[in-house]
Amino acid sequence: MNSLEIIKKKRDRSALAADEIRFMVDGYTAGEIPDYQISALLMAVLINGMDTAETQALTEAMLHSGDVLDFSDIPGVKVDKHSTGGVGDKTSLILGPIAAAAGVRVPMISGRGLGHTGGTLDKLEAIPGFDVNLSVERFREGVERIGICLIGQTARIAPADKKIYALRDVTGTVESIPLITASIMSKKLAEGIDALVLDVKTGRGAFMKTLDDSRRLARSLVDTGLRVGKRMSALITDMNQPLGRWAGNAVEVAESVATLRGEGPADLEALSVELAAEMIRLAGLAPDIDAARGVARRQIATGRALEVFARCIEFHGGDPRVTESDQHLPRAARRHVVTAPRAGWVAQLDAEAVGMAIVVLGGGRLRKEDGIDPAVGVRLHRKIGDRVEAGEPLAEIQYNDAARFDDARRRVETAYAIAEAPVEAPVLIRERLE
Ligand code: URA
Protein backbone atom coordinates (compact mmCIF):
# COMPACT_ATOMS: atom_id res chain seq x y z
CA MET A 1 0.00 0.00 0.00
CA ASN A 2 1.14 3.54 -0.54
CA SER A 3 -0.42 6.88 0.39
CA LEU A 4 -0.36 8.36 -3.10
CA GLU A 5 -2.47 5.57 -4.60
CA ILE A 6 -4.96 5.77 -1.72
CA ILE A 7 -5.32 9.55 -2.18
CA LYS A 8 -5.89 9.10 -5.94
CA LYS A 9 -8.46 6.39 -5.31
CA LYS A 10 -10.57 8.71 -3.13
CA ARG A 11 -9.99 11.59 -5.57
CA ASP A 12 -11.46 9.36 -8.31
CA ARG A 13 -14.55 8.61 -6.16
CA SER A 14 -13.82 4.98 -5.30
CA ALA A 15 -14.56 3.62 -1.85
CA LEU A 16 -11.49 2.90 0.27
CA ALA A 17 -10.98 -0.49 1.91
CA ALA A 18 -10.77 -0.67 5.71
CA ASP A 19 -7.06 -1.62 5.62
CA GLU A 20 -6.29 1.39 3.37
CA ILE A 21 -8.01 3.73 5.82
CA ARG A 22 -6.15 2.13 8.75
CA PHE A 23 -2.85 2.48 6.86
CA MET A 24 -3.40 6.23 6.46
CA VAL A 25 -4.59 6.85 10.04
CA ASP A 26 -1.85 4.73 11.64
CA GLY A 27 0.83 6.22 9.38
CA TYR A 28 -0.24 9.77 10.22
CA THR A 29 -0.48 9.13 13.96
CA ALA A 30 3.02 7.61 13.92
CA GLY A 31 4.41 10.62 12.01
CA GLU A 32 5.23 8.52 8.93
CA ILE A 33 2.77 10.18 6.54
CA PRO A 34 3.16 13.95 6.16
CA ASP A 35 0.51 16.63 6.77
CA TYR A 36 0.26 17.47 3.04
CA GLN A 37 -0.79 13.96 2.05
CA ILE A 38 -3.39 13.67 4.82
CA SER A 39 -4.64 17.17 3.90
CA ALA A 40 -5.14 16.01 0.30
CA LEU A 41 -7.00 12.91 1.47
CA LEU A 42 -9.20 14.93 3.85
CA MET A 43 -10.14 17.31 1.03
CA ALA A 44 -10.96 14.36 -1.26
CA VAL A 45 -13.19 12.94 1.50
CA LEU A 46 -14.86 16.32 2.03
CA ILE A 47 -15.65 16.57 -1.69
CA ASN A 48 -16.42 12.93 -2.56
CA GLY A 49 -17.74 11.66 0.79
CA MET A 50 -17.48 8.22 2.36
CA ASP A 51 -20.03 5.42 2.54
CA THR A 52 -21.15 3.86 5.83
CA ALA A 53 -18.51 1.10 5.76
CA GLU A 54 -15.72 3.62 5.12
CA THR A 55 -17.01 5.90 7.89
CA GLN A 56 -17.05 2.96 10.29
CA ALA A 57 -13.50 1.94 9.27
CA LEU A 58 -12.27 5.51 9.80
CA THR A 59 -14.00 5.70 13.20
CA GLU A 60 -12.45 2.42 14.31
CA ALA A 61 -8.98 3.31 13.05
CA MET A 62 -9.14 6.59 15.02
CA LEU A 63 -10.62 4.88 18.09
CA HIS A 64 -7.84 2.27 18.19
CA SER A 65 -5.11 4.90 17.77
CA GLY A 66 -5.31 5.20 21.59
CA ASP A 67 -6.70 3.61 24.75
CA VAL A 68 -10.22 2.23 24.84
CA LEU A 69 -11.56 2.24 28.39
CA ASP A 70 -13.25 -0.91 29.59
CA PHE A 71 -15.86 -0.41 32.32
CA SER A 72 -17.58 -3.74 31.78
CA ASP A 73 -16.78 -4.77 35.36
CA ILE A 74 -18.76 -1.81 36.75
CA PRO A 75 -22.34 -2.97 37.34
CA GLY A 76 -25.06 -1.16 35.39
CA VAL A 77 -25.45 0.11 31.85
CA LYS A 78 -22.99 2.86 30.89
CA VAL A 79 -24.59 5.64 28.82
CA ASP A 80 -23.36 9.06 27.71
CA LYS A 81 -24.84 11.98 25.80
CA HIS A 82 -23.06 14.03 23.17
CA SER A 83 -24.13 17.39 21.81
CA THR A 84 -22.75 18.66 18.51
CA GLY A 85 -22.32 22.07 20.18
CA GLY A 86 -24.33 25.16 20.92
CA VAL A 87 -24.76 28.33 22.98
CA GLY A 88 -26.28 28.17 26.47
CA ASP A 89 -26.28 24.37 26.12
CA LYS A 90 -25.65 23.23 29.68
CA THR A 91 -27.76 20.07 29.49
CA SER A 92 -24.82 17.77 30.42
CA LEU A 93 -24.70 19.37 33.89
CA ILE A 94 -28.40 18.59 34.36
CA LEU A 95 -29.09 15.31 32.58
CA GLY A 96 -25.89 13.67 33.85
CA PRO A 97 -26.97 13.91 37.52
CA ILE A 98 -30.60 13.05 36.59
CA ALA A 99 -29.55 9.87 34.75
CA ALA A 100 -27.03 8.90 37.46
CA ALA A 101 -29.68 9.40 40.17
CA ALA A 102 -31.96 7.06 38.18
CA GLY A 103 -29.29 4.33 38.16
CA VAL A 104 -27.54 4.91 34.81
CA ARG A 105 -23.72 4.90 34.93
CA VAL A 106 -22.47 8.02 33.14
CA PRO A 107 -18.79 8.22 32.09
CA MET A 108 -18.47 11.57 30.29
CA ILE A 109 -15.43 12.63 28.31
CA SER A 110 -16.31 16.24 27.57
CA GLY A 111 -14.91 19.04 25.48
CA ARG A 112 -13.96 22.69 25.79
CA GLY A 113 -15.57 25.58 23.96
CA LEU A 114 -15.05 25.43 20.19
CA GLY A 115 -15.51 28.63 18.15
CA HIS A 116 -18.65 30.38 19.40
CA THR A 117 -19.93 27.27 21.21
CA GLY A 118 -19.45 26.64 24.94
CA GLY A 119 -17.81 23.56 26.46
CA THR A 120 -18.80 21.46 29.46
CA LEU A 121 -15.26 21.42 30.88
CA ASP A 122 -15.03 25.23 30.86
CA LYS A 123 -18.39 25.43 32.66
CA LEU A 124 -17.39 22.89 35.32
CA GLU A 125 -14.09 24.68 35.93
CA ALA A 126 -16.11 27.79 36.86
CA ILE A 127 -16.92 25.89 40.08
CA PRO A 128 -14.14 26.77 42.56
CA GLY A 129 -11.75 23.82 42.96
CA PHE A 130 -13.38 21.59 40.31
CA ASP A 131 -10.68 19.39 38.70
CA VAL A 132 -11.47 17.84 35.31
CA ASN A 133 -8.00 16.30 34.92
CA LEU A 134 -8.55 13.05 36.77
CA SER A 135 -6.58 9.85 36.12
CA VAL A 136 -8.40 7.02 34.38
CA GLU A 137 -8.42 5.12 37.73
CA ARG A 138 -10.08 8.04 39.52
CA PHE A 139 -12.52 8.47 36.61
CA ARG A 140 -13.54 4.83 36.98
CA GLU A 141 -13.96 5.30 40.74
CA GLY A 142 -16.23 8.32 40.15
CA VAL A 143 -18.44 6.39 37.73
CA GLU A 144 -18.68 3.52 40.21
CA ARG A 145 -19.20 5.51 43.41
CA ILE A 146 -21.20 8.56 42.30
CA GLY A 147 -22.68 7.24 39.05
CA ILE A 148 -21.25 10.12 37.01
CA CYS A 149 -17.76 11.44 36.38
CA LEU A 150 -16.53 13.98 33.81
CA ILE A 151 -13.05 14.39 32.36
CA GLY A 152 -11.38 15.89 29.29
CA GLN A 153 -9.90 14.05 26.31
CA THR A 154 -6.47 12.88 27.46
CA ALA A 155 -3.47 12.46 25.15
CA ARG A 156 -4.19 8.71 25.19
CA ILE A 157 -7.81 8.92 24.01
CA ALA A 158 -8.12 8.91 20.20
CA PRO A 159 -4.78 10.73 19.53
CA ALA A 160 -5.42 10.37 15.77
CA ASP A 161 -8.51 12.57 16.15
CA LYS A 162 -6.53 15.23 17.99
CA LYS A 163 -3.97 15.40 15.16
CA ILE A 164 -6.47 15.15 12.30
CA TYR A 165 -8.86 17.68 13.89
CA ALA A 166 -6.05 20.26 14.16
CA LEU A 167 -5.26 19.71 10.46
CA ARG A 168 -8.94 19.95 9.41
CA ASP A 169 -9.23 23.23 11.30
CA VAL A 170 -6.61 24.84 9.03
CA THR A 171 -7.39 23.10 5.71
CA GLY A 172 -11.11 23.91 5.34
CA THR A 173 -12.13 20.30 5.96
CA VAL A 174 -14.19 20.53 9.16
CA GLU A 175 -17.64 20.48 7.53
CA SER A 176 -17.69 16.88 6.31
CA ILE A 177 -20.24 14.45 7.69
CA PRO A 178 -17.98 11.34 7.63
CA LEU A 179 -15.08 13.29 9.17
CA ILE A 180 -17.29 14.79 11.92
CA THR A 181 -18.81 11.35 12.55
CA ALA A 182 -15.43 9.62 12.94
CA SER A 183 -14.11 12.48 15.10
CA ILE A 184 -17.06 12.44 17.53
CA MET A 185 -17.61 8.68 17.61
CA SER A 186 -13.92 7.72 18.04
CA LYS A 187 -13.83 9.78 21.26
CA LYS A 188 -17.20 8.58 22.53
CA LEU A 189 -16.53 4.90 21.83
CA ALA A 190 -13.27 5.19 23.81
CA GLU A 191 -15.32 5.87 26.98
CA GLY A 192 -16.37 2.29 27.54
CA ILE A 193 -20.08 3.02 27.01
CA ASP A 194 -22.89 0.63 26.09
CA ALA A 195 -25.18 3.31 24.66
CA LEU A 196 -25.07 6.91 23.46
CA VAL A 197 -27.69 9.63 23.12
CA LEU A 198 -26.93 12.36 20.59
CA ASP A 199 -28.21 15.91 20.60
CA VAL A 200 -27.64 17.09 17.03
CA LYS A 201 -28.12 20.85 16.88
CA THR A 202 -29.59 22.62 13.90
CA GLY A 203 -29.80 26.31 12.98
CA ARG A 204 -27.83 29.57 13.07
CA GLY A 205 -25.77 28.66 16.16
CA ALA A 206 -25.00 25.07 15.07
CA PHE A 207 -22.29 23.54 12.84
CA MET A 208 -25.11 22.15 10.68
CA LYS A 209 -27.29 25.10 9.65
CA THR A 210 -30.02 23.23 7.78
CA LEU A 211 -32.38 20.51 8.99
CA ASP A 212 -31.36 18.31 6.06
CA ASP A 213 -27.65 18.42 6.94
CA SER A 214 -28.44 17.87 10.64
CA ARG A 215 -30.53 14.83 9.70
CA ARG A 216 -27.71 13.40 7.58
CA LEU A 217 -25.21 13.92 10.41
CA ALA A 218 -27.56 12.34 12.97
CA ARG A 219 -28.14 9.33 10.69
CA SER A 220 -24.41 8.90 10.11
CA LEU A 221 -23.61 9.08 13.86
CA VAL A 222 -26.41 6.66 14.80
CA ASP A 223 -25.52 4.16 12.03
CA THR A 224 -21.84 4.18 12.99
CA GLY A 225 -22.69 3.49 16.65
CA LEU A 226 -25.15 0.71 15.74
CA ARG A 227 -22.60 -0.96 13.48
CA VAL A 228 -20.16 -1.30 16.38
CA GLY A 229 -22.85 -2.74 18.64
CA LYS A 230 -23.91 0.29 20.69
CA ARG A 231 -27.49 1.24 21.53
CA MET A 232 -28.07 4.66 19.98
CA SER A 233 -30.65 7.38 19.76
CA ALA A 234 -30.55 10.96 18.51
CA LEU A 235 -32.63 14.09 18.84
CA ILE A 236 -32.34 16.96 16.38
CA THR A 237 -32.88 20.15 18.36
CA ASP A 238 -33.08 23.86 17.61
CA MET A 239 -29.99 26.04 17.97
CA ASN A 240 -31.20 29.18 16.23
CA GLN A 241 -31.31 30.87 19.63
CA PRO A 242 -29.40 30.02 22.83
CA LEU A 243 -30.84 27.38 25.14
CA GLY A 244 -32.21 28.66 28.48
CA ARG A 245 -31.89 32.22 29.78
CA TRP A 246 -28.15 32.41 30.47
CA ALA A 247 -24.99 31.87 28.42
CA GLY A 248 -21.45 31.94 29.86
CA ASN A 249 -19.74 29.61 32.31
CA ALA A 250 -20.48 30.28 36.04
CA VAL A 251 -23.89 31.67 35.07
CA GLU A 252 -24.69 28.40 33.28
CA VAL A 253 -23.69 26.40 36.36
CA ALA A 254 -26.14 28.52 38.38
CA GLU A 255 -28.88 27.96 35.80
CA SER A 256 -28.19 24.21 35.84
CA VAL A 257 -28.54 24.15 39.64
CA ALA A 258 -31.83 26.07 39.36
CA THR A 259 -33.06 23.53 36.80
CA LEU A 260 -32.07 20.60 39.03
CA ARG A 261 -34.09 22.31 41.74
CA GLY A 262 -37.12 22.43 39.44
CA GLU A 263 -36.82 26.20 38.93
CA GLY A 264 -35.22 26.29 35.48
CA PRO A 265 -36.55 27.80 32.25
CA ALA A 266 -39.07 25.61 30.42
CA ASP A 267 -36.96 24.96 27.28
CA LEU A 268 -33.87 23.91 29.22
CA GLU A 269 -35.82 21.66 31.57
CA ALA A 270 -37.76 20.06 28.69
CA LEU A 271 -34.63 19.21 26.68
CA SER A 272 -32.65 18.01 29.72
CA VAL A 273 -35.53 15.73 30.78
CA GLU A 274 -35.98 14.44 27.23
CA LEU A 275 -32.28 13.58 26.79
CA ALA A 276 -32.06 12.06 30.30
CA ALA A 277 -35.18 10.01 29.50
CA GLU A 278 -33.47 8.69 26.34
CA MET A 279 -30.50 7.63 28.48
CA ILE A 280 -32.77 5.96 31.06
CA ARG A 281 -34.67 4.15 28.30
CA LEU A 282 -31.50 2.95 26.53
CA ALA A 283 -30.19 1.73 29.91
CA GLY A 284 -33.31 -0.43 30.20
CA LEU A 285 -34.46 1.33 33.39
CA ALA A 286 -37.88 2.20 31.96
CA PRO A 287 -40.07 0.31 29.46
CA ASP A 288 -40.71 3.25 27.15
CA ILE A 289 -39.95 6.93 26.69
CA ASP A 290 -43.07 8.10 28.57
CA ALA A 291 -42.15 6.08 31.65
CA ALA A 292 -38.52 7.23 31.31
CA ARG A 293 -39.64 10.89 31.31
CA GLY A 294 -41.52 10.19 34.55
CA VAL A 295 -38.39 8.64 36.10
CA ALA A 296 -36.29 11.66 35.00
CA ARG A 297 -38.78 14.19 36.41
CA ARG A 298 -38.91 12.32 39.73
CA GLN A 299 -35.13 12.70 40.14
CA ILE A 300 -35.65 16.48 40.02
CA ALA A 301 -38.80 16.55 42.17
CA THR A 302 -37.26 14.44 44.96
CA GLY A 303 -33.99 16.44 44.98
CA ARG A 304 -31.99 13.28 44.23
CA ALA A 305 -30.44 14.67 41.03
CA LEU A 306 -29.23 17.83 42.80
CA GLU A 307 -27.77 15.67 45.56
CA VAL A 308 -25.85 13.61 42.95
CA PHE A 309 -24.54 16.84 41.38
CA ALA A 310 -23.28 18.03 44.80
CA ARG A 311 -21.53 14.69 45.40
CA CYS A 312 -20.04 14.76 41.91
CA ILE A 313 -18.66 18.28 42.50
CA GLU A 314 -17.17 17.18 45.83
CA PHE A 315 -15.57 14.10 44.20
CA HIS A 316 -13.87 16.41 41.67
CA GLY A 317 -12.52 18.65 44.49
CA GLY A 318 -15.07 21.43 43.84
CA ASP A 319 -17.14 23.45 46.29
CA PRO A 320 -20.52 21.67 46.59
CA ARG A 321 -22.05 24.78 48.19
CA VAL A 322 -22.64 26.07 44.63
CA THR A 323 -25.67 23.75 44.69
CA GLU A 324 -27.06 25.78 47.64
CA SER A 325 -26.36 29.34 46.50
CA ASP A 326 -24.79 31.10 43.51
CA GLN A 327 -22.90 33.28 46.04
CA HIS A 328 -20.18 30.62 45.87
CA LEU A 329 -19.65 31.07 42.12
CA PRO A 330 -17.45 33.77 40.54
CA ARG A 331 -19.36 36.95 39.65
CA ALA A 332 -18.56 39.65 37.10
CA ALA A 333 -18.01 43.16 38.45
CA ARG A 334 -20.00 45.09 35.84
CA ARG A 335 -23.46 44.98 34.29
CA HIS A 336 -24.99 46.53 31.18
CA VAL A 337 -28.61 46.21 30.08
CA VAL A 338 -29.37 46.13 26.33
CA THR A 339 -32.84 47.58 25.78
CA ALA A 340 -35.35 47.28 22.93
CA PRO A 341 -35.09 50.17 20.45
CA ARG A 342 -38.83 49.83 19.70
CA ALA A 343 -41.88 47.82 20.68
CA GLY A 344 -42.70 44.51 18.96
CA TRP A 345 -41.97 40.81 19.04
CA VAL A 346 -38.50 39.27 19.10
CA ALA A 347 -38.06 37.71 15.64
CA GLN A 348 -34.37 36.75 15.91
CA LEU A 349 -31.89 36.04 18.71
CA ASP A 350 -28.80 34.84 16.88
CA ALA A 351 -27.10 32.15 18.99
CA GLU A 352 -23.80 32.52 17.13
CA ALA A 353 -23.67 36.29 17.82
CA VAL A 354 -24.40 35.77 21.53
CA GLY A 355 -21.75 33.01 21.66
CA MET A 356 -19.18 35.28 20.03
CA ALA A 357 -20.05 38.13 22.47
CA ILE A 358 -19.15 35.76 25.31
CA VAL A 359 -15.91 34.73 23.58
CA VAL A 360 -14.98 38.41 23.15
CA LEU A 361 -15.66 39.08 26.86
CA GLY A 362 -13.22 36.29 27.74
CA GLY A 363 -15.76 33.52 28.41
CA GLY A 364 -14.39 31.54 25.43
CA ARG A 365 -11.13 31.43 23.52
CA LEU A 366 -10.01 33.48 20.52
CA ARG A 367 -6.72 31.54 20.46
CA LYS A 368 -6.15 27.98 21.64
CA GLU A 369 -3.89 29.06 24.50
CA ASP A 370 -6.28 31.73 25.90
CA GLY A 371 -7.48 31.43 29.50
CA ILE A 372 -11.16 31.73 30.41
CA ASP A 373 -12.91 34.36 32.52
CA PRO A 374 -15.49 32.12 34.20
CA ALA A 375 -17.64 34.97 35.52
CA VAL A 376 -18.71 36.74 32.31
CA GLY A 377 -22.01 35.97 30.64
CA VAL A 378 -25.20 37.17 29.05
CA ARG A 379 -28.67 36.97 30.55
CA LEU A 380 -31.42 36.77 27.95
CA HIS A 381 -34.49 38.60 29.22
CA ARG A 382 -36.30 38.15 25.91
CA LYS A 383 -36.23 35.24 23.46
CA ILE A 384 -37.82 34.60 20.06
CA GLY A 385 -41.58 35.12 20.14
CA ASP A 386 -41.55 37.30 23.30
CA ARG A 387 -43.34 40.66 23.30
CA VAL A 388 -41.21 43.66 24.27
CA GLU A 389 -41.98 47.38 24.74
CA ALA A 390 -39.57 50.15 23.67
CA GLY A 391 -36.88 50.66 26.33
CA GLU A 392 -37.52 47.35 28.09
CA PRO A 393 -34.54 45.02 28.69
CA LEU A 394 -33.64 42.48 26.00
CA ALA A 395 -30.46 41.18 27.61
CA GLU A 396 -27.97 41.93 30.38
CA ILE A 397 -24.23 41.68 29.75
CA GLN A 398 -22.12 40.77 32.77
CA TYR A 399 -18.45 41.59 32.24
CA ASN A 400 -15.13 42.46 33.88
CA ASP A 401 -12.89 44.00 31.22
CA ALA A 402 -14.17 47.39 30.02
CA ALA A 403 -11.87 47.26 26.95
CA ARG A 404 -13.77 44.24 25.60
CA PHE A 405 -17.23 45.52 26.39
CA ASP A 406 -18.12 47.64 23.31
CA ASP A 407 -17.46 44.82 20.86
CA ALA A 408 -19.57 42.42 22.95
CA ARG A 409 -22.40 44.96 23.33
CA ARG A 410 -22.58 45.46 19.55
CA ARG A 411 -22.78 41.72 19.03
CA VAL A 412 -25.63 41.31 21.54
CA GLU A 413 -27.51 44.28 20.07
CA THR A 414 -27.26 42.91 16.53
CA ALA A 415 -28.20 39.40 17.70
CA TYR A 416 -31.75 40.70 18.21
CA ALA A 417 -34.27 41.63 15.53
CA ILE A 418 -37.73 42.93 16.46
CA ALA A 419 -40.77 42.51 14.23
CA GLU A 420 -44.04 44.43 14.24
CA ALA A 421 -46.21 41.30 14.04
CA PRO A 422 -46.26 38.34 16.46
CA VAL A 423 -43.61 35.67 15.84
CA GLU A 424 -43.79 31.96 16.72
CA ALA A 425 -41.05 30.62 19.00
CA PRO A 426 -39.03 27.90 17.21
CA VAL A 427 -39.90 24.29 18.01
CA LEU A 428 -37.13 23.00 20.30
CA ILE A 429 -37.17 19.25 19.65
CA ARG A 430 -37.40 18.86 15.89
CA GLU A 431 -36.96 15.14 15.30
CA ARG A 432 -36.02 11.85 16.95
CA LEU A 433 -33.93 9.09 15.31
CA GLU A 434 -33.33 5.61 16.61
N1 URA B 1 -16.82 17.98 17.33
C1 URA B 1 -15.84 17.05 17.20
O1 URA B 1 -15.38 16.47 18.17
N2 URA B 1 -15.38 16.81 15.95
C2 URA B 1 -15.83 17.42 14.86
O2 URA B 1 -15.38 17.13 13.78
C3 URA B 1 -16.85 18.39 15.01
C4 URA B 1 -17.35 18.64 16.26
Side-chain angles (χ1 to χ4, degrees), residues 165 168 180 183-184 187 207:
Y165 194 89
R168 286 168 60 209
I180 294 176
S183 168
I184 291 175
K187 282 174 285 198
F207 281 123

Side-chain angles (χ1 to χ4, degrees), residues 69 71 74 106-108 129-152 154 156 310-318:
L69 306 182
F71 290 165
I74 299 178
V106 188
M108 277 192 169
F130 199 108
D131 183 6
V132 299
N133 300 308
L134 305 185
S135 66
V136 168
E137 291 68 33
R138 187 93 177 124
F139 181 49
R140 166 190 295 274
E141 191 188 333
V143 173
E144 206 163 6
R145 268 185 36 205
I146 318 289
I148 175 170
C149 203
L150 307 101
I151 57 168
T154 70
R156 287 165 50 188
R311 286 175 51 220
C312 167
I313 292 170
E314 205 165 12
F315 184 85
H316 280 267

Side-chain angles (χ1 to χ4, degrees), residues 175-240:
E175 297 88 350
S176 151
I177 286 176
L179 297 180
I180 294 176
T181 300
S183 168
I184 291 175
M185 294 304 288
S186 62
K187 282 174 285 198
K188 288 285 140 181
L189 297 174
E191 289 175 344
I193 46 173
D194 305 300
L196 179 64
V197 175
L198 294 155
D199 181 6
V200 178
K201 302 291 188 190
T202 191
R204 301 180 82 101
F207 281 123
M208 296 288 136
K209 310 283 183 207
T210 69
L211 188 57
D212 250 7
D213 280 346
S214 306
R215 248 185 221 134
R216 289 195 300 128
L217 177 59
R219 189 76 263 162
S220 171
L221 290 161
V222 167
D223 285 347
T224 303
L226 292 175
R227 286 172 75 107
V228 294
K230 305 296 172 191
R231 290 175 233 169
M232 302 287 298
S233 87
L235 300 183
I236 299 177
T237 72
D238 181 74
M239 190 35 73
N240 281 297

Side-chain angles (χ1 to χ4, degrees), residues 360-361 399 401-411 413:
V360 164
L361 290 173
Y399 66 104
D401 184 350
R404 300 171 177 222
F405 165 68
D406 264 339
D407 185 0
R409 177 181 53 79
R410 266 192 303 275
R411 289 175 195 267
E413 283 171 359

